[in-house]
């Protein structure tokens, strides 16, 4: 039997004693995408130091680990999705792993164990790399593929805050230069189109593209898995490290797109910002990357809600991102031709079909990737769980994991209230009807995500790997109130109510989760936030210390009673914050050695809790120092409980 703290049985997580587990965790943390200590996007950079940077100190210096991890555990979390990046491990060059960082990650995991926190490692990326507007891959990946990332801004190949922002301007948000939450536009631009296509489909679409005598896809994936293996080797003996995430929100490049077919403007009823902005096609991106001036339609929403379309000219400087003169690998493979007078599409279906057969991204590329990832980690610990993700855009299209997945795979898909995430607008005091509608919407959407897990390998657990709320809602209203001296929970009421609705839904569906996120360096500052592209979803801010909640924001929204592990199978849980009542039912199994444990936050647990039990007989023990109510059954049966928490 596995020695890990967590294993799976069908669609459930269980511990070593066989108790049904709910993993309630947090992502640690948002600034792990960045070099330490001065790598945040709130500071200018030309990335010239990309080979000499260090990530030791992310998520925090080791001397501060017990303070932060102790806080996370006191808030009731039992799991960490620990962010690392390929760049953090292998920034110096191909095959040159940062031994100091690898050992540092091991020490963080060891300290997490001391606080009772299970860990799974997330190799994180957004928009491929810091140099292309996101995080993840080392800068040398561009260089090895013959690409100069220093030319990305001039060539309109990537949308990068460090090139767009005027850091000398005291204005905290500069929407005309770098709109908030605009970084996802990078997935439609040339840098991401090229890199993700090469990473997943290079052997299929550009077999002639060689890097040091090896196909580009095989070269990139070999180094990625090498970085994963370096971390895996260091933490293989730690029982609280329960597995690895496959790769955060992997891009798909241009796979599945027509070369020159543009998407239609969204209907007025579609308020998603994902379908606004420049509508790049692969042909547009390849032309601009080659140094050709390119006009691209730009979709924006007019004041009346309609969609306005105008053309924007890009790369007027005629800058090429390719280090060598002449054709790029896609032109060499027959996708397009630059021509002497005008560029032409040669194969409109180049990214859709290969050798006359339609490409299936999940089957052809993700399926072998998942198996290679599983092999890379399980060569060091065969019991590790694989927390798998496909591109969130594919899930929105109704697509899912390929049929043939490695055993012990978890559905670790991400879910957000996109309207809230992108608009950053919310009523300061939402009414009951608003909350009810949110719960209905969340219930439908998260139930669908659970179904994805139930179909994976005939039935697998689902852990929502990311969800969260922006704390910079309404132009930073909460920050202004805090700065003005308000020190009460009303400052974060909008965020707490939003989180409450999510956790209510997770409880109803018995879903495990890791909230996005805990950032140790977070600031109540519209420019800084989590330190990355003006995002601010951290439940902790160092600007709020000292304080009643020890730096926590909207703590009442996430630090709440829940059934952490059960001596049997959890049937139902429900917490009503308004009533101050926590209800649960468990199908007890006395053969399981271990107590049922209910987390009760310290603000409720100063005295023995009032609990009414019915059904099977159980003994109870209150451990206020651990914020736990323990129940022990000697006989099988169903027990129902009503716990009053005020």
């Amino acid at each position: 039997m596995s020695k890990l703290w967590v294993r799976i049985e069908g669609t459930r997580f269980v511990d070593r004693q066989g108790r049904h587990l709910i993993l309630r965790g947090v992502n640690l943390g948002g600034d792990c995408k960045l070099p330490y200590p001065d790598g945040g996007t709130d500071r200018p950079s030309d990335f010239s130091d990309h080979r000499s940077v260090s990530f030791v100190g992310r998520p925090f210096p080791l001397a501060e680990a017990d303070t932060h991890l102790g806080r996370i555990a006191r808030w009731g979390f039992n799991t960490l999705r620990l962010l690392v990046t390929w760049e953090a491990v292998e920034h110096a060059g191909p095959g040159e792993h940062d031994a100091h960082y690898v050992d540092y990650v091991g020490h963080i995991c060891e300290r997490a164990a001391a606080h009772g926190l299970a860990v799974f490692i997330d190799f994180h990326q957004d928009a491929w790399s810091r140099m292309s507007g996101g995080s993840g891959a080392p800068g040398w990946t561009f260089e090895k593929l013959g690409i100069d990332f220093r030319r990305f801004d001039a060539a309109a190949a990537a949308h990068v805050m460090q090139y767009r922002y005027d850091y000398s301007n005291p204005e905290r948000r500069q929407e005309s230069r770098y709109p908030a939450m605009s970084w996802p536009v990078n997935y439609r631009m040339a840098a991401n189109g090229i890199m993700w296509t090469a990473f997943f489909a290079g052997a299929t679409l550009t077999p002639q593209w060689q890097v040091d005598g090896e196909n580009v896809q095989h070269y990139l994936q070999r180094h990625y898995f090498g970085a994963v293996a370096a971390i895996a080797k260091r933490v293989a003996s730690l029982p609280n490290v329960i597995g690895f995430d496959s790769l955060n929100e992997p891009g798909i490049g241009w796979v599945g797109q027509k070369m020159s077919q543009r998407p239609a403007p969204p209907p007025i009823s579609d308020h998603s910002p994902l379908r606004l902005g420049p509508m790049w096609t692969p042909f547009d991106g390849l032309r601009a990357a080659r140094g050709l001036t390119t006009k691209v339609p730009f979709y924006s929403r007019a004041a009346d809600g309609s969609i306005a379309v105008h053309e924007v000219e890009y790369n007027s400087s005629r800058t090429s991102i390719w280090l060598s003169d002449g054709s790029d690998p896609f032109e060499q493979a027959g996708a397009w031709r630059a021509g002497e007078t005008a560029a032409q599409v040669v194969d409109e279906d180049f990214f859709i079909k290969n050798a006359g057969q339609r490409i299936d991204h999940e089957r052809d590329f993700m399926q072998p990737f998942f198996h290679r990832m599983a092999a890379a980690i399980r060569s060091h610990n065969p019991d590790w769980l694989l927390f798998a993700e496909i591109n969130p855009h594919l899930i929105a299209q109704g697509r899912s994991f390929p049929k043939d997945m490695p055993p012990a795979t978890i559905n670790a898909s991400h879910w957000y209230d996109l309207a809230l995430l992108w608009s950053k607008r919310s009523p300061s005091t939402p009414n009951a009807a608003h909350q009810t509608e949110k719960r209905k919407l969340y219930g439908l959407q998260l139930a669908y995500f659970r179904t994805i897990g139930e179909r994976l390998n005939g039935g697998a657990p689902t852990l929502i790997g990311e969800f969260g709320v922006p704390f910079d809602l309404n132009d930073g209203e909460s920050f202004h109130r805090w700065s003005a001296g308000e020190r009460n929970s009303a400052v974060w009421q909008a965020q707490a109510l939003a989180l409450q609705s999510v956790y209510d839904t997770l409880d109803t569906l018995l879903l495990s989760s890791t909230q996005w996120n805990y950032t140790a360096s977070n600031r109540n500052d519209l420019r800084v936030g989590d330190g990355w592209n003006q995002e601010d979803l951290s439940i902790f801010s160092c600007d709020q210390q000292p304080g009643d909640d020890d730096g926590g924001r909207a703590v009442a929204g996430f630090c709440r009673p829940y059934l952490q592990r059960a001596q049997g199978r959890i049937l139902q849980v429900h917490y009503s914050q308004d009533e101050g009542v926590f209800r649960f039912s468990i199908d007890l199994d006395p053969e399981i050695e271990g107590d049922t444990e209910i987390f009760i936050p310290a603000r409720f647990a100063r005295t023995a809790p009032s609990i009414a039990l019915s059904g099977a007989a159980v003994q109870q023990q209150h451990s206020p120092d651990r914020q736990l109510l323990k129940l022990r059954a000697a006989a099988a049966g169903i027990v129902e409980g009503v716990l009053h928490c005020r």
Side-chain angles (χ1 to χ4, degrees), residues 47 50 87 129-134 137-139 142 149 152 158 160 163:
F47 308 109
H50 68 95
E87 181 188 13
S129 171
R130 289 189 300 130
M131 299 84 196
S132 52
F142 296 113
F149 65 74
F152 282 172
V160 183
Y163 293 137

Side-chain angles (χ1 to χ4, degrees), residues 532-553:
W532 184 82
N533 287 341
Q534 299 182 317
E535 283 199 354
D536 195 324
L537 291 90
S538 174
I539 58 176
F540 172 83
S541 174
C542 58
D543 283 343
Q544 291 169 220
Q545 292 186 298
D548 291 340
D549 287 325
D550 196 19
R553 305 196 288 188

Side-chain angles (χ1 to χ4, degrees), residues 405-452:
M405 291 290 289
T409 294
I410 313 301
N411 168 28
S413 301
H414 299 174
W415 171 90
Y416 286 93
D417 180 340
L418 289 179
L420 181 65
L421 181 68
W422 288 87
S423 71
K424 296 179 182 279
R425 315 300 301 181
S426 176
S428 297
T429 54
N431 57 37
H434 176 88
Q435 292 293 97
T436 299
E437 287 303 310
K438 283 291 186 184
R439 288 191 185 94
K440 287 181 180 178
L441 176 65
Y442 295 175
L444 289 170
Q445 293 178 349
L446 286 168
Y448 174 71
F449 278 79
R450 186 177 68 175
T451 300
I452 292 174

